[in-house]
């Protein structure tokens, strides 16, 4: 399966923003590496819930990897655009 690129919808952004708001509310002092570990467990659980008749393990891992890279790119691009960035 080739990863299908879909632009984020308003609902996608609202879900992501809801996750961020929950983290800020529930764990404002938790170190970023611990938050990452918790989110990774959650992602693992979501992977386990995927319909294996529709998606192979490789396809799901490709989806996860692609979106991690996309998220990293957004943050890096934003950092480079800000005043004082190394761009």
């Amino acid at each position: 399966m080739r990863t299908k690129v879909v632009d984020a919808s308003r609902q996608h952004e609202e879900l992501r923003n809801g996750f961020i708001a929950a983290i800020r509310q529930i764990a404002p002092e938790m170190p970023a590496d611990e938050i990452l570990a918790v989110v990774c467990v959650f992602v693992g659980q979501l992977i386990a819930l995927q319909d294996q008749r529709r998606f192979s393990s490789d396809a799901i891992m490709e989806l996860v990897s692609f979106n991690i890279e996309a998220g990293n790119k957004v943050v890096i691009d934003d950092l480079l655009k800000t005043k004082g960035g190394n761009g």
Side-chain angles (χ1 to χ4, degrees), residues 3 10 12-14 17-18 21 26 30 51 57 61 67 85-86:
T3 300
R10 176 181 291 150
H12 294 145
E13 288 298 324
E14 288 173 358
N17 289 335
I26 296 167
M30 186 178 290
D51 184 347
S57 295
M61 295 312 293
N67 282 284
N86 293 327

Side-chain angles (χ1 to χ4, degrees), residues 7-87:
D7 289 334
S9 68
R10 176 181 291 150
Q11 188 177 31
H12 294 145
E13 288 298 324
E14 288 173 358
L15 180 60
R16 188 183 67 80
N17 289 335
F19 289 144
I20 292 168
I23 291 167
R24 287 182 177 153
Q25 179 182 2
I26 296 167
E29 303 300 322
M30 186 178 290
D33 60 325
E34 290 181 23
I35 294 170
L36 178 60
V38 171
V39 172
C40 287
V41 170
F42 182 53
V43 169
Q45 292 167 332
L46 291 174
I47 289 169
L49 294 172
Q50 299 307 302
D51 184 347
Q52 294 180 6
R53 294 169 294 177
R54 289 184 58 206
F55 305 105
S56 68
S57 295
D58 288 344
I60 292 300
M61 295 312 293
E62 182 180 341
L63 173 77
V64 171
S65 177
F66 178 86
N67 282 284
I68 289 171
E69 290 175 22
N72 277 318
K73 183 177 183 329
V74 168
V75 171
I76 290 168
D77 289 349
D78 287 347
L79 289 172
L80 291 174
K81 290 177 192 172
T82 60
K83 186 176 182 180
N86 293 327

